[in-house]
Amino acid sequence: MHVFLTGGTGFIGRNLVEALLRRGDRCTVISRSGTDLWKRPEVEVIRHDPKLKGPWQRTVNGCDVVVNLAGERIVEPPLRWTAARKTRIRASRIATTNRLVDAILEAEQPPRLLLSGSAIGYYGPRGDQAVDESAPPGTDFLARLAAEWEEAARPACTKTRVALLRTGLVLGRDSPFLASLVPLFKLGLGGPWGDGKQWLSWIHIEDVVGIILFVIDRQLDGAFNLTAPNPVTVEQFARTLGKALGRPAILRAPSLLLRLALGEAADALLNLQRVLPARALEAGYQFRYPQLDGALSSSI
Ligand SMILES: NC(=O)c1ccc[n+]([C@@H]2O[C@H](COP(=O)([O-])OP(=O)(O)OC[C@H]3O[C@@H](n4cnc5c(N)ncnc54)[C@H](OP(=O)(O)O)[C@@H]3O)[C@@H](O)[C@H]2O)c1
């Protein structure tokens, strides 16, 4: 199988490419830097910005599957969402998806599946309510971003099946989320944030890759929540991470402090949701890491 990827150089993309190579698949990755992480003939890296039109779009023709993961990080220094930053966050996803969909629509031999990125922020803040893929989108910035990202992918469905990856917080070695938390916890400065009662829907990287391959192999489509079946509260998450590191996790970062420090970007830490992977479970996917303690032990 020949897979074309945007965002193939990122945390999820790298792990997916490695898994595809282990199965004997071939990959073409478009990257702004052109970094060739693999240096193997089975991976072709095209140096181009996927937001921009270019000859790269013709390479989508004849690929079996397209995976669209490109997107500027939502929580990364400088943390505040200025208007310019929001524009970059949005364009990195929507313009990339538009160019990719154009490429699919123009292909004589379109792929049989487009897996396109999204996030559980799609659902907006939900308190204690558990949501599956049938829930409608929320209205805050992250929810509108995810909904628009999904909408941008949908026109491809006249030529191919479209699966949408509503991804939760991804754990695993090299997880950007853990990379920012673990050093604080190791110093004994970790603990819950906000009131600690928000639900945090996490997933291990092996299950992200596992579900993507499952969707490809079973020829599925539609929206999939990429989250483990057992979300936890932020309080439970902090306690479990502290225990895994053998450090106390008692310091609390109150919502007000986060709002003052981060402005609207604090939404990414405070406006969380309790998301269940109903469709993956119904289709028979078996999670390798259904529980947080096991997922964290293999991540730190
Ligand atoms: N990791 C998570 O916990 C998580 C959770 C929910 C949703 N997601 C979504 O899943 C996708 C992949 O996540 P990840 O953790 O693998 O992300 P990542 O490590 O930050 O990688 C993002 C990729 O997007 C490309 N990119 C970044 N900024 C870009 C820009 N301005 N224009 C065009 N391309 C750009 C980069 O490629 P080059 O630099 O090579 O061009 C990189 O390969 C992201 O879109 C993210 O929003 C991730």
Side-chain angles (χ1 to χ4, degrees), residues 6-14 29-35 48-51 68-74 76 88-89 91-93 96 117-121 145 149 165-171 175-177 203 205:
T6 76
T9 57
F11 170 52
I12 297 175
R14 283 191 315 268
V29 172
I30 179 164
S31 158
R32 291 164 306 160
S33 66
T35 314
H48 207 285
D49 186 334
K51 300 190 289 299
N68 179 30
L69 296 169
E72 185 152 321
R73 287 204 177 147
I74 308 276
E76 193 176 62
R88 284 202 308 276
I89 287 174
S92 61
R93 291 171 173 79
T96 296
S118 180
I120 58 170
L145 176 71
W149 198 5
L165 309 171
R166 294 185 185 153
T167 308
L169 273 165
V170 186
L171 309 179
S175 148
F177 173 61
I203 182 167
I205 184 67

Side-chain angles (χ1 to χ4, degrees), residues 242-270:
K243 202 168 151 198
L245 291 166
R247 308 295 295 161
I250 44 177
L251 287 184
R252 199 171 270 278
S255 306
L256 185 62
L257 187 74
L258 291 171
R259 288 269 170 228
L260 285 171
L262 307 181
E264 190 186 357
D267 281 1
L269 297 171
L270 299 171

Side-chain angles (χ1 to χ4, degrees), residues 45-191:
V45 178
I46 300 174
R47 183 178 185 167
H48 207 285
D49 186 334
K51 300 190 289 299
L52 305 176
K53 289 182 181 177
W56 69 268
Q57 289 172 293
R58 286 201 291 277
T59 58
V60 169
N61 185 40
C63 287
D64 301 292
V65 171
V66 171
V67 184
N68 179 30
L69 296 169
E72 185 152 321
R73 287 204 177 147
I74 308 276
V75 182
E76 193 176 62
L79 295 165
R80 280 181 173 268
W81 292 341
T82 58
R85 178 113 198 279
K86 277 183 165 177
T87 302
R88 284 202 308 276
I89 287 174
R90 190 181 162 280
S92 61
R93 291 171 173 79
I94 313 300
T96 296
T97 308
N98 288 338
R99 297 295 86 77
L100 201 53
V101 168
D102 290 346
I104 291 171
L105 295 180
E106 279 161 28
E108 284 154 26
Q109 283 179 270
R112 61 172 193 268
L113 173 66
L114 164 66
L115 294 118
S116 198
S118 180
I120 58 170
Y122 174 88
Y123 300 109
R126 292 286 179 149
D128 281 335
Q129 185 197 358
V131 291
D132 66 16
E133 290 87 349
S134 62
T139 54
D140 64 357
F141 171 67
L142 291 179
R144 282 184 282 116
L145 176 71
E148 209 183 338
W149 198 5
E150 294 190 4
E151 278 313 306
R154 278 186 216 281
C157 72
T158 57
K159 283 277 195 114
T160 184
R161 285 179 296 115
V162 176
L164 302 163
L165 309 171
R166 294 185 185 153
T167 308
L169 273 165
V170 186
L171 309 179
R173 292 202 189 277
D174 301 331
S175 148
F177 173 61
L178 285 180
S180 51
L181 274 190
V182 167
L184 279 177
F185 275 71
K186 280 189 174 164
L187 289 169
L189 299 174

